[in-house]
Amino acid sequence: MTIDPSSIPNFGGQPQPQAAGPAGPVVPDQDLVKQLLEQMELKYVVDDEGDLAAPWEDFRTYFMFRGEAEQQVFSVRTFYDRPHPVEKRAEILETIDDWNRRTLWPKVYTHQHEEEGAEPSLRLIGEAQMLIGTGVSLEHFVSSTVSWVRASIEFDKWLAERFGLATGEEKPADEA
């Protein structure tokens, strides 16, 4: 199965002509996501657990498949690496609640991060999910995935502006 390049928002590159994808529903898999990331000109790696990840300077976005058969879920989960002081939890929660009220995705939540020999910190995680077990339209899958990636980037920028923090480039980490 191939992705119709016209269904991918143009980020400035010239799309390569390809055959159109299937007309009916598809059950997306990791190879389809790899193809989409390549067409978006995003670098990716496969981690030790077999999940795809696109690394940026200040965060990593994972593309994961969980569950089985009709209950299979595709999840795009972004782990923001910037640590926040635990004592600022109330301010962080108020800020991400504002984001979660205003936007559809990613829905963001906190995680208390603890490393040996270091003070605990809060890290943020953004997530969007789609039930795919019975199949989805290829166009819906592509547009949703692209939107989720863009929204993950936008959240990082938005948060940095809200807190006056420095951000990395919008490019993946290995291109920055």
Side-chain angles (χ1 to χ4, degrees):
M1 137 181 46
T2 61
I3 298 169
D4 177 6
S6 67
S7 67
I8 300 172
N10 188 343
F11 297 118
Q14 296 297 320
Q16 299 296 320
Q18 292 188 358
V26 298
V27 177
D29 59 13
Q30 193 175 73
D31 288 335
L32 181 63
V33 176
K34 285 179 181 177
Q35 185 181 111
L36 176 57
L37 294 175
E38 288 166 2
Q39 288 192 12
M40 291 172 63
E41 298 181 5
L42 294 176
K43 302 290 183 193
Y44 61 86
V45 296
V46 178
D47 72 6
D48 293 340
E49 296 175 12
D51 294 319
L52 286 177
W56 273 263
E57 189 170 320
D58 294 321
F59 57 91
R60 301 165 321 281
T61 299
Y62 285 83
F63 305 88
M64 302 177 289
F65 294 89
R66 299 293 187 261
E68 295 184 24
E70 294 177 356
Q71 297 303 309
Q72 187 176 28
V73 172
F74 173 63
S75 177
V76 175
R77 192 175 290 171
T78 302
F79 294 85
Y80 297 94
D81 297 328
R82 188 180 295 114
H84 301 277
V86 173
E87 55 274 3
K88 294 209 175 215
R89 182 183 299 266
E91 181 182 1
I92 298 290
L93 290 174
E94 184 177 314
T95 302
I96 63 175
D97 280 353
D98 184 40
W99 170 269
N100 288 335
R101 276 190 300 274
R102 293 172 186 249
T103 64
L104 294 175
W105 52 72
K107 292 306 179 194
V108 181
Y109 54 92
T110 63
H111 169 73
Q112 187 161 318
H113 183 76
E114 298 183 20
E115 284 186 37
E116 194 172 318
E119 289 291 318
S121 64
L122 290 180
R123 300 287 174 100
L124 302 179
I125 302 169
E127 186 170 358
Q129 297 183 16
M130 176 189 306
L131 187 61
I132 60 167
T134 58
V136 295
S137 153
L138 182 61
E139 292 81 14
H140 175 68
F141 179 78
V142 168
S143 65
S144 294
T145 303
V146 169
S147 293
W148 295 346
V149 169
R150 303 262 325 144
S152 294
I153 294 167
E154 288 305 312
F155 173 76
D156 188 62
K157 290 179 184 177
W158 178 84
L159 188 71
E161 287 174 13
R162 290 287 296 256
F163 289 133
L165 305 170
T167 62
E169 292 293 318
E170 187 176 309
K171 298 176 184 174
D174 61 346
E175 293 182 7

